[in-house]
Amino acid sequence: SSSYLLSYLLRSNLCVTAVMSRAWRFVAVVAAVSLVGGAAGDEECVDSSLLQARQVPASKIVLEDPVVSKVVKMNPDMWFPMPQEGRHQECLQQNYDISKMPKAAVIIPYLHEDLKMMKKFVGSLIGNTPESLLDEILFVDDANDYGFSFTQELTSLHPKVKVYRNPERVGLIRSKVVGSQQTTAPVIVFLEPHCLANRGWLEPLLAQIMSSHKSVAVPVIDIIPEHDTDKYSYGPLDYGGFQWDLSFHWPGSPKNRDPYWHNPNPFPMPALSGGLLAMWRDWWEESGTYDNGMNEWGSEHIEMSLRIWRCGGSIAAVPCSRVGHMFRSKRPYVFHGEAALINLKRLAAVWLPDRLDRIAKRVPQVMNLSDAGDISERVALREKLGCQNLDWYIKNVYPELEAQP
């Protein structure tokens, strides 16, 4: 009904919080529907006053850090706040042979972002990434207005920073695909412009995908408070899942699933929380990149999760890799909820066609797929890759799904 659709689209603009049970857990951000990109935050938001009310413990900033000093000597505009060390002690004892590690291209789409935050992010990438592993930092300008394009400001920061401008707005999903086509490094890393790369963030991700070529590696997402982006709070270790309305959520600790899991070992992620990830370029392309029939953003992280797991790959969270993310109280651009609803329909039609009735109890619109567009290419990809069915995924990857609302 039209009233339900109105309610559905309104919910896409709500920011709700799920307060985690342990005292040191942060306020995780979950959207009421999968229209919000998840807590790794394609475009998610949170009321910063709620974070204050929860008194999320903030790390002290190391004011006179030698890495920051080195970066500032290169370019004062790249100053960034170095968080106090908060990784597990075993992470600090890891020795990586970076001479045997592949180069990575960092791809960052942006639309109406804060230049000051982007400069800090670049500084953290340059300072906290071994030079030999960082092939380039590519910002994808999604047809920003003149005042938000920042091409000159960004490219002048460091020789490794490049900007590719879309001639027209294509949205986050397609901008990532475009960005991947503009780079050549063997490893692709997708990040977001309102982030901060912590110490040693890249090496653990590379180690994970080197141990399993079809693995997608994701960092643990920490919090940068919107009201003070020089602060940094370490987040908890949780695995990601989704519910039958296809919205992402954090069910709990990996220890709850596997009592033998040892922190800080990588652990399985049944669902991606958003768009921060690393993977081999050839697997990115072979597995189908993103669904180009999806518009703007929304549902692509659940689509990718089901596709990777069911088509021969895996997804692992890597606790030794930490990336801070600023959770925003509102979006700085116009978002079209109807596009996200179509994305959700495409996700359901391709990857959950035999569960439409169950999804429809939460999202009745999925029973009408007439506006989902042509999905034949994605169905053909599913068949080509010999993907497993949903029952296999539930049994082997995410048994908790059957009990989800």
Side-chain angles (χ1 to χ4, degrees), residues 234-253:
Y234 283 87
L237 305 181
D238 286 308
Y239 69 95
F242 64 94
Q243 300 174 323
W244 285 106
D245 61 0
L246 307 186
S247 65
F248 175 85
H249 77 140
W250 298 104
S253 166

Side-chain angles (χ1 to χ4, degrees), residues 105-109 175-177 179-180 188-192 275-279 284 290 304:
V106 176
I107 300 168
I108 310 170
S175 289
K176 289 183 176 181
V177 177
S180 71
I188 292 173
V189 180
F190 291 116
L191 296 174
E192 296 179 3
L276 312 188
L277 59 90
M279 64 190 301
W284 157 255
Y290 281 123
M304 187 176 189

